[in-house]
Amino acid sequence: MERVTTWLQETLGLGPVGQQKLLASVLIIFVIWILQRLVLGFVHRRTEDVRLRYRWAKGTSYAAFATAIVLIGGIWANAIQSFGTFLGLVSAGLAIALKDLVVNLAGWIFVIWRRPFEVGDRIQIAGHAGDVIDIRIFQFTLMEIGNWVDADQSTGRVVHVPNGKVLTDSLANYTKGFNYIWNELPVLVTFESNWRRAKEILEQIARDHAMHLTETAEHRIKEVSSRFMIFYSKLTPIVYTSVVDSGVLLTIRYLCDPRTRRGTAQAIWEDVLDAFGHEDDIDFAYPTQRFYDNRFEGKAGARAPLEPVPAGGPNG
């Protein structure tokens, strides 16, 4: 013990009073750490909910950090006051040298205060999209979706994004506010197909898969109308008609949960394939080559006139 006391006095310049303050600070940190472990152990024994466990872990970490700062700051208050000018200069220098860390800290404060997203939300920012799985002081973490994987499904990669990005980049939240996204499926049929019958079939299929979300979405819009100016004149599924080079394009537009976009698209496409398979006058359009003679094909009133055959036959 005497060796430790001597080393502290010779190396750090701490006298007996300073050493007592250092010992008290270490004890405070140790006691707070033990209490945090006990609380988290109790929570883990009482619940299997991953979200609840995560919130308790984050909440106790912030509470432990704040408590330690207050208690240790009180112990070293006199020393801090005597070095107030020195600490001010050091802080200014650190703010310049560690500019990015300061920006990330400000971004973390913004995230905690304004809550543009929370753990579990699906967001897109700085060219990355994914589900938020962790928020820390200097960065937040995404479970990446999209990229080389279609339909917003997980790639399996974990992406760490600096908190400062929320202050400089546009952020899209898939799940906060409206909670739903619009998805569209283009269905192309040939010009010769009975496109009106095809449209009726698609409308019925869209209603079967998405109509149940309409009432829920309307209720959600009413809930968030006090915070966001969100309004839609039509929330029911709809099929739009347009014409492209290869045929008649029928586009199904419907509401879906952001995390079920691929599943709903698959279910709708399977029903479309089954339904069109039973229709003799509906064909899918795809790149083909055909020769069209306007003199004999198409509408009678729009055909080109036949060239008269010279007298004496085609050879004159």
Side-chain angles (χ1 to χ4, degrees):
M1 189 65 182
E2 293 181 358
R3 291 181 179 180
V4 175
T5 302
T6 304
W7 181 84
L8 290 174
Q9 187 168 0
E10 293 178 353
T11 306
L12 301 180
L14 293 177
V17 176
Q19 294 178 18
Q20 291 177 0
K21 291 182 178 181
L22 180 61
L23 178 61
S25 300
V26 172
L27 287 176
I28 287 173
I29 294 173
F30 180 74
V31 171
I32 291 176
W33 181 79
I34 291 295
L35 291 176
Q36 183 189 15
R37 294 293 96 191
L38 291 175
V39 171
L40 292 180
F42 175 77
V43 172
H44 285 199
R45 288 193 300 270
R46 294 295 298 271
T47 180
E48 297 293 333
D49 188 341
V50 176
R51 291 176 178 268
L52 188 60
R53 286 183 173 185
Y54 176 84
R55 292 194 185 104
W56 271 97
K58 284 297 179 183
T60 54
S61 296
Y62 294 149
F65 180 77
T67 303
I69 289 295
V70 171
L71 295 179
I72 295 175
I75 292 175
W76 294 90
N78 293 333
I80 292 174
Q81 290 176 1
S82 62
F83 290 101
T85 304
F86 171 75
L87 291 176
L89 295 174
V90 170
S91 299
L94 289 176
I96 296 173
L98 305 177
K99 176 175 67 69
D100 291 339
L101 291 180
V102 173
V103 171
N104 291 334
L105 179 61
W108 174 75
I109 294 173
F110 177 79
V111 170
I112 298 300
W113 174 45
R114 292 291 298 170
R115 294 192 176 277
F117 60 82
E118 300 177 22
V119 172
D121 286 354
R122 176 164 291 188
I123 68 171
Q124 181 175 351
I125 185 173
H128 302 287
D131 298 319
V132 181
I133 58 176
D134 189 25
I135 300 174
R136 301 202 175 195
I137 294 179
F138 298 112
Q139 65 184 18
F140 59 91
T141 306
L142 303 177
M143 177 61 72
E144 186 185 42
I145 63 171
N147 207 328
W148 67 87
V149 178
D150 292 333
D152 296 341
Q153 288 197 305
S154 174
T155 65
R157 297 197 308 182
V158 173
V159 180
H160 302 284
V161 182
N163 287 333
K165 291 294 183 181
V166 302
L167 302 176
T168 59
D169 288 38
S170 299
L171 185 149
N173 194 318
Y174 290 66
T175 50
K176 185 178 290 295
F178 186 45
N179 290 8
Y180 300 98
I181 61 172
W182 288 100
N183 193 34
E184 293 188 352
L185 298 178
V187 180
L188 187 63
V189 298
T190 61
F191 287 112
E192 295 78 14
S193 296
N194 185 350
W195 64 269
R196 291 189 182 276
R197 172 61 182 157
K199 184 172 183 177
E200 292 176 359
I201 293 173
L202 297 181
E203 288 174 340
Q204 183 59 51
I205 292 174
R207 285 194 293 269
D208 292 342
H209 286 275
M211 195 66 182
H212 65 283
L213 294 178
T214 301
E215 184 177 350
T216 306
E218 290 176 348
H219 179 69
R220 183 59 184 163
I221 287 178
K222 292 178 181 178
E223 289 182 349
V224 301
S225 60
S226 60
R227 298 177 54 203
F228 305 106
M229 196 176 75
I230 300 177
F231 60 90
Y232 285 105
S233 59
K234 189 177 183 64
L235 292 174
T236 55
I238 190 172
V239 178
Y240 290 102
T241 307
S242 59
V243 175
V244 296
D245 292 341
S246 302
V248 179
L249 182 63
L250 303 173
T251 304
I252 305 172
R253 178 177 170 86
Y254 66 97
L255 284 175
C256 69
D257 184 277
R259 291 180 174 85
T260 63
R261 187 166 73 93
R262 190 169 199 173
T264 57
Q266 172 184 267
I268 289 175
W269 266 116
E270 289 179 351
D271 286 354
V272 171
L273 293 172
D274 290 338
F276 282 11
H278 294 92
E279 300 292 330
D280 293 333
D281 57 352
I282 299 175
D283 274 330
F284 289 105
Y286 49 87
T288 56
Q289 184 178 12
R290 60 172 292 190
F291 297 96
Y292 176 78
D293 191 339
N294 180 256
R295 297 174 302 169
F296 304 102
E297 300 182 63
K299 296 179 180 179
R303 293 176 185 173
L306 293 173
E307 296 180 1
V309 178
N315 295 324

